[in-house]
mmCIF file with all atom_site columns, all heavy atoms in Angstrom:
data_model
loop_
_atom_site.group_PDB
_atom_site.id
_atom_site.type_symbol
_atom_site.label_atom_id
_atom_site.label_alt_id
_atom_site.label_comp_id
_atom_site.label_asym_id
_atom_site.label_entity_id
_atom_site.label_seq_id
_atom_site.pdbx_PDB_ins_code
_atom_site.Cartn_x
_atom_site.Cartn_y
_atom_site.Cartn_z
_atom_site.occupancy
_atom_site.B_iso_or_equiv
_atom_site.pdbx_formal_charge
_atom_site.auth_seq_id
_atom_site.auth_comp_id
_atom_site.auth_asym_id
_atom_site.auth_atom_id
_atom_site.pdbx_PDB_model_num
ATOM 1   N N   . LEU A 1 2   ? 0.412  2.230  -0.713  1.00 90.00 ? 2   LEU A N   1
ATOM 2   C CA  . LEU A 1 2   ? 1.065  3.530  -0.706  1.00 90.00 ? 2   LEU A CA  1
ATOM 3   C C   . LEU A 1 2   ? 0.096  4.508  -0.045  1.00 90.00 ? 2   LEU A C   1
ATOM 4   O O   . LEU A 1 2   ? -1.050 4.641  -0.468  1.00 90.00 ? 2   LEU A O   1
ATOM 5   C CB  . LEU A 1 2   ? 1.369  3.987  -2.133  1.00 90.00 ? 2   LEU A CB  1
ATOM 6   C CG  . LEU A 1 2   ? 2.150  5.292  -2.314  1.00 90.00 ? 2   LEU A CG  1
ATOM 7   C CD1 . LEU A 1 2   ? 3.593  5.101  -1.854  1.00 90.00 ? 2   LEU A CD1 1
ATOM 8   C CD2 . LEU A 1 2   ? 2.118  5.736  -3.767  1.00 90.00 ? 2   LEU A CD2 1
ATOM 9   N N   . ARG A 1 27  ? 5.514  2.628  0.237   1.00 78.00 ? 27  ARG A N   1
ATOM 10  C CA  . ARG A 1 27  ? 6.083  1.910  -0.909  1.00 78.00 ? 27  ARG A CA  1
ATOM 11  C C   . ARG A 1 27  ? 7.117  2.806  -1.578  1.00 78.00 ? 27  ARG A C   1
ATOM 12  O O   . ARG A 1 27  ? 7.359  3.921  -1.156  1.00 78.00 ? 27  ARG A O   1
ATOM 13  C CB  . ARG A 1 27  ? 4.994  1.508  -1.897  1.00 78.00 ? 27  ARG A CB  1
ATOM 14  C CG  . ARG A 1 27  ? 4.193  0.316  -1.462  1.00 78.00 ? 27  ARG A CG  1
ATOM 15  C CD  . ARG A 1 27  ? 3.502  -0.369 -2.611  1.00 78.00 ? 27  ARG A CD  1
ATOM 16  N NE  . ARG A 1 27  ? 2.942  -1.640 -2.206  1.00 78.00 ? 27  ARG A NE  1
ATOM 17  C CZ  . ARG A 1 27  ? 2.543  -2.554 -3.042  1.00 78.00 ? 27  ARG A CZ  1
ATOM 18  N NH1 . ARG A 1 27  ? 2.657  -2.379 -4.334  1.00 78.00 ? 27  ARG A NH1 1
ATOM 19  N NH2 . ARG A 1 27  ? 2.034  -3.678 -2.605  1.00 78.00 ? 27  ARG A NH2 1
ATOM 20  N N   . THR A 1 28  ? 7.736  2.278  -2.630  1.00 80.00 ? 28  THR A N   1
ATOM 21  C CA  . THR A 1 28  ? 8.771  3.030  -3.322  1.00 80.00 ? 28  THR A CA  1
ATOM 22  C C   . THR A 1 28  ? 8.120  4.132  -4.140  1.00 80.00 ? 28  THR A C   1
ATOM 23  O O   . THR A 1 28  ? 7.617  3.910  -5.242  1.00 80.00 ? 28  THR A O   1
ATOM 24  C CB  . THR A 1 28  ? 9.596  2.116  -4.240  1.00 80.00 ? 28  THR A CB  1
ATOM 25  O OG1 . THR A 1 28  ? 10.113 1.039  -3.466  1.00 80.00 ? 28  THR A OG1 1
ATOM 26  C CG2 . THR A 1 28  ? 10.746 2.900  -4.860  1.00 80.00 ? 28  THR A CG2 1
ATOM 27  N N   . PHE A 1 29  ? 8.146  5.305  -3.585  1.00 80.00 ? 29  PHE A N   1
ATOM 28  C CA  . PHE A 1 29  ? 7.497  6.468  -4.184  1.00 80.00 ? 29  PHE A CA  1
ATOM 29  C C   . PHE A 1 29  ? 8.011  6.750  -5.584  1.00 80.00 ? 29  PHE A C   1
ATOM 30  O O   . PHE A 1 29  ? 7.246  7.129  -6.478  1.00 80.00 ? 29  PHE A O   1
ATOM 31  C CB  . PHE A 1 29  ? 7.738  7.657  -3.255  1.00 80.00 ? 29  PHE A CB  1
ATOM 32  C CG  . PHE A 1 29  ? 7.393  8.991  -3.837  1.00 80.00 ? 29  PHE A CG  1
ATOM 33  C CD1 . PHE A 1 29  ? 6.075  9.360  -3.986  1.00 80.00 ? 29  PHE A CD1 1
ATOM 34  C CD2 . PHE A 1 29  ? 8.394  9.877  -4.220  1.00 80.00 ? 29  PHE A CD2 1
ATOM 35  C CE1 . PHE A 1 29  ? 5.753  10.600 -4.502  1.00 80.00 ? 29  PHE A CE1 1
ATOM 36  C CE2 . PHE A 1 29  ? 8.075  11.109 -4.733  1.00 80.00 ? 29  PHE A CE2 1
ATOM 37  C CZ  . PHE A 1 29  ? 6.752  11.477 -4.873  1.00 80.00 ? 29  PHE A CZ  1
ATOM 38  N N   . SER A 1 30  ? 9.302  6.562  -5.809  1.00 85.00 ? 30  SER A N   1
ATOM 39  C CA  . SER A 1 30  ? 9.917  6.979  -7.073  1.00 85.00 ? 30  SER A CA  1
ATOM 40  C C   . SER A 1 30  ? 9.420  6.166  -8.262  1.00 85.00 ? 30  SER A C   1
ATOM 41  O O   . SER A 1 30  ? 9.624  6.558  -9.407  1.00 85.00 ? 30  SER A O   1
ATOM 42  C CB  . SER A 1 30  ? 11.435 6.890  -6.979  1.00 85.00 ? 30  SER A CB  1
ATOM 43  O OG  . SER A 1 30  ? 11.829 5.581  -6.664  1.00 85.00 ? 30  SER A OG  1
ATOM 44  N N   . ASN A 1 31  ? 8.755  5.041  -8.028  1.00 90.00 ? 31  ASN A N   1
ATOM 45  C CA  . ASN A 1 31  ? 8.254  4.232  -9.141  1.00 90.00 ? 31  ASN A CA  1
ATOM 46  C C   . ASN A 1 31  ? 6.958  4.773  -9.732  1.00 90.00 ? 31  ASN A C   1
ATOM 47  O O   . ASN A 1 31  ? 6.550  4.356  -10.820 1.00 90.00 ? 31  ASN A O   1
ATOM 48  C CB  . ASN A 1 31  ? 7.995  2.801  -8.669  1.00 90.00 ? 31  ASN A CB  1
ATOM 49  C CG  . ASN A 1 31  ? 9.270  2.056  -8.343  1.00 90.00 ? 31  ASN A CG  1
ATOM 50  O OD1 . ASN A 1 31  ? 10.360 2.462  -8.741  1.00 90.00 ? 31  ASN A OD1 1
ATOM 51  N ND2 . ASN A 1 31  ? 9.141  0.976  -7.600  1.00 90.00 ? 31  ASN A ND2 1
ATOM 52  N N   . TYR A 1 32  ? 6.291  5.655  -9.014  1.00 94.00 ? 32  TYR A N   1
ATOM 53  C CA  . TYR A 1 32  ? 4.945  6.069  -9.364  1.00 94.00 ? 32  TYR A CA  1
ATOM 54  C C   . TYR A 1 32  ? 4.903  7.413  -10.061 1.00 94.00 ? 32  TYR A C   1
ATOM 55  O O   . TYR A 1 32  ? 5.592  8.356  -9.662  1.00 94.00 ? 32  TYR A O   1
ATOM 56  C CB  . TYR A 1 32  ? 4.087  6.173  -8.109  1.00 94.00 ? 32  TYR A CB  1
ATOM 57  C CG  . TYR A 1 32  ? 3.761  4.852  -7.458  1.00 94.00 ? 32  TYR A CG  1
ATOM 58  C CD1 . TYR A 1 32  ? 4.683  4.217  -6.644  1.00 94.00 ? 32  TYR A CD1 1
ATOM 59  C CD2 . TYR A 1 32  ? 2.528  4.253  -7.658  1.00 94.00 ? 32  TYR A CD2 1
ATOM 60  C CE1 . TYR A 1 32  ? 4.389  3.005  -6.050  1.00 94.00 ? 32  TYR A CE1 1
ATOM 61  C CE2 . TYR A 1 32  ? 2.214  3.048  -7.065  1.00 94.00 ? 32  TYR A CE2 1
ATOM 62  C CZ  . TYR A 1 32  ? 3.152  2.420  -6.262  1.00 94.00 ? 32  TYR A CZ  1
ATOM 63  O OH  . TYR A 1 32  ? 2.857  1.223  -5.681  1.00 94.00 ? 32  TYR A OH  1
ATOM 64  N N   . ALA A 1 33  ? 4.065  7.491  -11.081 1.00 96.00 ? 33  ALA A N   1
ATOM 65  C CA  . ALA A 1 33  ? 3.641  8.808  -11.550 1.00 96.00 ? 33  ALA A CA  1
ATOM 66  C C   . ALA A 1 33  ? 2.659  9.358  -10.528 1.00 96.00 ? 33  ALA A C   1
ATOM 67  O O   . ALA A 1 33  ? 1.978  8.607  -9.833  1.00 96.00 ? 33  ALA A O   1
ATOM 68  C CB  . ALA A 1 33  ? 2.967  8.704  -12.912 1.00 96.00 ? 33  ALA A CB  1
ATOM 69  N N   . MET A 1 34  ? 2.601  10.678 -10.431 1.00 97.00 ? 34  MET A N   1
ATOM 70  C CA  . MET A 1 34  ? 1.732  11.328 -9.460  1.00 97.00 ? 34  MET A CA  1
ATOM 71  C C   . MET A 1 34  ? 0.822  12.322 -10.157 1.00 97.00 ? 34  MET A C   1
ATOM 72  O O   . MET A 1 34  ? 1.206  12.946 -11.154 1.00 97.00 ? 34  MET A O   1
ATOM 73  C CB  . MET A 1 34  ? 2.569  12.046 -8.404  1.00 97.00 ? 34  MET A CB  1
ATOM 74  C CG  . MET A 1 34  ? 3.505  11.140 -7.621  1.00 97.00 ? 34  MET A CG  1
ATOM 75  S SD  . MET A 1 34  ? 2.642  9.917  -6.631  1.00 97.00 ? 34  MET A SD  1
ATOM 76  C CE  . MET A 1 34  ? 1.827  10.972 -5.429  1.00 97.00 ? 34  MET A CE  1
ATOM 77  N N   . ILE A 1 51  ? 2.691  14.277 -13.124 1.00 97.00 ? 51  ILE A N   1
ATOM 78  C CA  . ILE A 1 51  ? 4.116  14.235 -13.397 1.00 97.00 ? 51  ILE A CA  1
ATOM 79  C C   . ILE A 1 51  ? 4.556  12.785 -13.458 1.00 97.00 ? 51  ILE A C   1
ATOM 80  O O   . ILE A 1 51  ? 4.050  11.950 -12.714 1.00 97.00 ? 51  ILE A O   1
ATOM 81  C CB  . ILE A 1 51  ? 4.887  15.032 -12.321 1.00 97.00 ? 51  ILE A CB  1
ATOM 82  C CG1 . ILE A 1 51  ? 6.337  15.278 -12.726 1.00 97.00 ? 51  ILE A CG1 1
ATOM 83  C CG2 . ILE A 1 51  ? 4.818  14.346 -10.962 1.00 97.00 ? 51  ILE A CG2 1
ATOM 84  C CD1 . ILE A 1 51  ? 7.027  16.323 -11.866 1.00 97.00 ? 51  ILE A CD1 1
ATOM 85  N N   . ASN A 1 52  ? 5.489  12.476 -14.349 1.00 95.00 ? 52  ASN A N   1
ATOM 86  C CA  . ASN A 1 52  ? 5.892  11.082 -14.495 1.00 95.00 ? 52  ASN A CA  1
ATOM 87  C C   . ASN A 1 52  ? 6.822  10.665 -13.363 1.00 95.00 ? 52  ASN A C   1
ATOM 88  O O   . ASN A 1 52  ? 7.228  11.473 -12.530 1.00 95.00 ? 52  ASN A O   1
ATOM 89  C CB  . ASN A 1 52  ? 6.500  10.828 -15.867 1.00 95.00 ? 52  ASN A CB  1
ATOM 90  C CG  . ASN A 1 52  ? 7.828  11.531 -16.070 1.00 95.00 ? 52  ASN A CG  1
ATOM 91  O OD1 . ASN A 1 52  ? 8.210  12.408 -15.293 1.00 95.00 ? 52  ASN A OD1 1
ATOM 92  N ND2 . ASN A 1 52  ? 8.535  11.161 -17.126 1.00 95.00 ? 52  ASN A ND2 1
ATOM 93  N N   . TRP A 1 53  ? 7.194  9.392  -13.356 1.00 94.00 ? 53  TRP A N   1
ATOM 94  C CA  . TRP A 1 53  ? 7.909  8.823  -12.216 1.00 94.00 ? 53  TRP A CA  1
ATOM 95  C C   . TRP A 1 53  ? 9.260  9.468  -11.982 1.00 94.00 ? 53  TRP A C   1
ATOM 96  O O   . TRP A 1 53  ? 9.711  9.574  -10.840 1.00 94.00 ? 53  TRP A O   1
ATOM 97  C CB  . TRP A 1 53  ? 8.078  7.315  -12.410 1.00 94.00 ? 53  TRP A CB  1
ATOM 98  C CG  . TRP A 1 53  ? 9.025  6.965  -13.528 1.00 94.00 ? 53  TRP A CG  1
ATOM 99  C CD1 . TRP A 1 53  ? 8.761  6.946  -14.873 1.00 94.00 ? 53  TRP A CD1 1
ATOM 100 C CD2 . TRP A 1 53  ? 10.390 6.589  -13.376 1.00 94.00 ? 53  TRP A CD2 1
ATOM 101 N NE1 . TRP A 1 53  ? 9.884  6.583  -15.577 1.00 94.00 ? 53  TRP A NE1 1
ATOM 102 C CE2 . TRP A 1 53  ? 10.898 6.354  -14.693 1.00 94.00 ? 53  TRP A CE2 1
ATOM 103 C CE3 . TRP A 1 53  ? 11.237 6.418  -12.295 1.00 94.00 ? 53  TRP A CE3 1
ATOM 104 C CZ2 . TRP A 1 53  ? 12.210 5.964  -14.912 1.00 94.00 ? 53  TRP A CZ2 1
ATOM 105 C CZ3 . TRP A 1 53  ? 12.552 6.025  -12.519 1.00 94.00 ? 53  TRP A CZ3 1
ATOM 106 C CH2 . TRP A 1 53  ? 13.025 5.801  -13.819 1.00 94.00 ? 53  TRP A CH2 1
ATOM 107 N N   . ILE A 1 54  ? 9.906  9.948  -13.047 1.00 92.00 ? 54  ILE A N   1
ATOM 108 C CA  . ILE A 1 54  ? 11.248 10.501 -12.905 1.00 92.00 ? 54  ILE A CA  1
ATOM 109 C C   . ILE A 1 54  ? 11.219 12.022 -12.801 1.00 92.00 ? 54  ILE A C   1
ATOM 110 O O   . ILE A 1 54  ? 12.232 12.645 -12.519 1.00 92.00 ? 54  ILE A O   1
ATOM 111 C CB  . ILE A 1 54  ? 12.141 10.044 -14.081 1.00 92.00 ? 54  ILE A CB  1
ATOM 112 C CG1 . ILE A 1 54  ? 13.619 10.168 -13.725 1.00 92.00 ? 54  ILE A CG1 1
ATOM 113 C CG2 . ILE A 1 54  ? 11.804 10.817 -15.350 1.00 92.00 ? 54  ILE A CG2 1
ATOM 114 C CD1 . ILE A 1 54  ? 14.537 9.563  -14.770 1.00 92.00 ? 54  ILE A CD1 1
ATOM 115 N N   . ARG A 1 72  ? 8.247  17.227 -8.015  1.00 95.00 ? 72  ARG A N   1
ATOM 116 C CA  . ARG A 1 72  ? 8.391  16.128 -7.067  1.00 95.00 ? 72  ARG A CA  1
ATOM 117 C C   . ARG A 1 72  ? 9.793  16.130 -6.501  1.00 95.00 ? 72  ARG A C   1
ATOM 118 O O   . ARG A 1 72  ? 10.754 16.510 -7.190  1.00 95.00 ? 72  ARG A O   1
ATOM 119 C CB  . ARG A 1 72  ? 8.055  14.786 -7.713  1.00 95.00 ? 72  ARG A CB  1
ATOM 120 C CG  . ARG A 1 72  ? 9.010  14.291 -8.771  1.00 95.00 ? 72  ARG A CG  1
ATOM 121 C CD  . ARG A 1 72  ? 8.452  13.036 -9.467  1.00 95.00 ? 72  ARG A CD  1
ATOM 122 N NE  . ARG A 1 72  ? 8.272  11.945 -8.533  1.00 95.00 ? 72  ARG A NE  1
ATOM 123 C CZ  . ARG A 1 72  ? 7.448  10.913 -8.743  1.00 95.00 ? 72  ARG A CZ  1
ATOM 124 N NH1 . ARG A 1 72  ? 6.723  10.860 -9.855  1.00 95.00 ? 72  ARG A NH1 1
ATOM 125 N NH2 . ARG A 1 72  ? 7.352  9.948  -7.846  1.00 95.00 ? 72  ARG A NH2 1
ATOM 126 N N   . ALA A 1 98  ? -1.546 8.399  -7.038  1.00 96.00 ? 98  ALA A N   1
ATOM 127 C CA  . ALA A 1 98  ? -0.342 7.718  -7.523  1.00 96.00 ? 98  ALA A CA  1
ATOM 128 C C   . ALA A 1 98  ? -0.710 6.649  -8.535  1.00 96.00 ? 98  ALA A C   1
ATOM 129 O O   . ALA A 1 98  ? -1.663 5.891  -8.345  1.00 96.00 ? 98  ALA A O   1
ATOM 130 C CB  . ALA A 1 98  ? 0.407  7.081  -6.354  1.00 96.00 ? 98  ALA A CB  1
ATOM 131 N N   . ASP A 1 99  ? 0.071  6.603  -9.612  1.00 95.00 ? 99  ASP A N   1
ATOM 132 C CA  . ASP A 1 99  ? -0.163 5.672  -10.725 1.00 95.00 ? 99  ASP A CA  1
ATOM 133 C C   . ASP A 1 99  ? 1.055  4.768  -10.880 1.00 95.00 ? 99  ASP A C   1
ATOM 134 O O   . ASP A 1 99  ? 2.141  5.250  -11.233 1.00 95.00 ? 99  ASP A O   1
ATOM 135 C CB  . ASP A 1 99  ? -0.431 6.483  -11.991 1.00 95.00 ? 99  ASP A CB  1
ATOM 136 C CG  . ASP A 1 99  ? -0.601 5.629  -13.234 1.00 95.00 ? 99  ASP A CG  1
ATOM 137 O OD1 . ASP A 1 99  ? -0.573 4.383  -13.119 1.00 95.00 ? 99  ASP A OD1 1
ATOM 138 O OD2 . ASP A 1 99  ? -0.779 6.204  -14.315 1.00 95.00 ? 99  ASP A OD2 1
ATOM 139 N N   . PHE A 1 100 ? 0.867  3.474  -10.668 1.00 92.00 ? 100 PHE A N   1
ATOM 140 C CA  . PHE A 1 100 ? 1.973  2.529  -10.721 1.00 92.00 ? 100 PHE A CA  1
ATOM 141 C C   . PHE A 1 100 ? 2.601  2.457  -12.110 1.00 92.00 ? 100 PHE A C   1
ATOM 142 O O   . PHE A 1 100 ? 3.783  2.111  -12.246 1.00 92.00 ? 100 PHE A O   1
ATOM 143 C CB  . PHE A 1 100 ? 1.469  1.142  -10.308 1.00 92.00 ? 100 PHE A CB  1
ATOM 144 C CG  . PHE A 1 100 ? 2.522  0.076  -10.382 1.00 92.00 ? 100 PHE A CG  1
ATOM 145 C CD1 . PHE A 1 100 ? 3.535  0.030  -9.443  1.00 92.00 ? 100 PHE A CD1 1
ATOM 146 C CD2 . PHE A 1 100 ? 2.511  -0.871 -11.398 1.00 92.00 ? 100 PHE A CD2 1
ATOM 147 C CE1 . PHE A 1 100 ? 4.513  -0.947 -9.497  1.00 92.00 ? 100 PHE A CE1 1
ATOM 148 C CE2 . PHE A 1 100 ? 3.491  -1.851 -11.463 1.00 92.00 ? 100 PHE A CE2 1
ATOM 149 C CZ  . PHE A 1 100 ? 4.482  -1.887 -10.512 1.00 92.00 ? 100 PHE A CZ  1
ATOM 150 N N   . GLY A 1 102 ? 3.569  4.740  -13.996 1.00 91.00 ? 102 GLY A N   1
ATOM 151 C CA  . GLY A 1 102 ? 4.753  5.597  -14.080 1.00 91.00 ? 102 GLY A CA  1
ATOM 152 C C   . GLY A 1 102 ? 4.687  6.765  -15.053 1.00 91.00 ? 102 GLY A C   1
ATOM 153 O O   . GLY A 1 102 ? 5.551  7.656  -14.991 1.00 91.00 ? 102 GLY A O   1
ATOM 154 N N   . ASP A 1 112 ? -3.914 4.436  -8.826  1.00 95.00 ? 112 ASP A N   1
ATOM 155 C CA  . ASP A 1 112 ? -4.121 3.308  -7.923  1.00 95.00 ? 112 ASP A CA  1
ATOM 156 C C   . ASP A 1 112 ? -4.358 3.723  -6.473  1.00 95.00 ? 112 ASP A C   1
ATOM 157 O O   . ASP A 1 112 ? -5.020 3.001  -5.728  1.00 95.00 ? 112 ASP A O   1
ATOM 158 C CB  . ASP A 1 112 ? -2.879 2.398  -7.978  1.00 95.00 ? 112 ASP A CB  1
ATOM 159 C CG  . ASP A 1 112 ? -2.538 1.984  -9.402  1.00 95.00 ? 112 ASP A CG  1
ATOM 160 O OD1 . ASP A 1 112 ? -3.303 1.184  -9.966  1.00 95.00 ? 112 ASP A OD1 1
ATOM 161 O OD2 . ASP A 1 112 ? -1.522 2.479  -9.941  1.00 95.00 ? 112 ASP A OD2 1
ATOM 162 N N   . TYR A 1 113 ? -3.788 4.832  -6.083  1.00 96.00 ? 113 TYR A N   1
ATOM 163 C CA  . TYR A 1 113 ? -3.893 5.275  -4.690  1.00 96.00 ? 113 TYR A CA  1
ATOM 164 C C   . TYR A 1 113 ? -4.271 6.751  -4.657  1.00 96.00 ? 113 TYR A C   1
ATOM 165 O O   . TYR A 1 113 ? -3.829 7.543  -5.505  1.00 96.00 ? 113 TYR A O   1
ATOM 166 C CB  . TYR A 1 113 ? -2.558 5.077  -3.954  1.00 96.00 ? 113 TYR A CB  1
ATOM 167 C CG  . TYR A 1 113 ? -2.107 3.648  -3.914  1.00 96.00 ? 113 TYR A CG  1
ATOM 168 C CD1 . TYR A 1 113 ? -1.118 3.182  -4.784  1.00 96.00 ? 113 TYR A CD1 1
ATOM 169 C CD2 . TYR A 1 113 ? -2.669 2.749  -3.008  1.00 96.00 ? 113 TYR A CD2 1
ATOM 170 C CE1 . TYR A 1 113 ? -0.705 1.875  -4.748  1.00 96.00 ? 113 TYR A CE1 1
ATOM 171 C CE2 . TYR A 1 113 ? -2.253 1.430  -2.970  1.00 96.00 ? 113 TYR A CE2 1
ATOM 172 C CZ  . TYR A 1 113 ? -1.278 0.998  -3.852  1.00 96.00 ? 113 TYR A CZ  1
ATOM 173 O OH  . TYR A 1 113 ? -0.883 -0.307 -3.821  1.00 96.00 ? 113 TYR A OH  1
#
Side-chain angles (χ1 to χ4, degrees):
L2 184 70
R27 283 201 170 195
T28 305
F29 168 74
S30 58
N31 291 343
Y32 290 80
M34 300 296 293
I51 193 166
N52 67 347
W53 69 280
I54 200 172
R72 68 188 298 159
D99 176 3
F100 178 73
D112 306 289
Y113 300 101

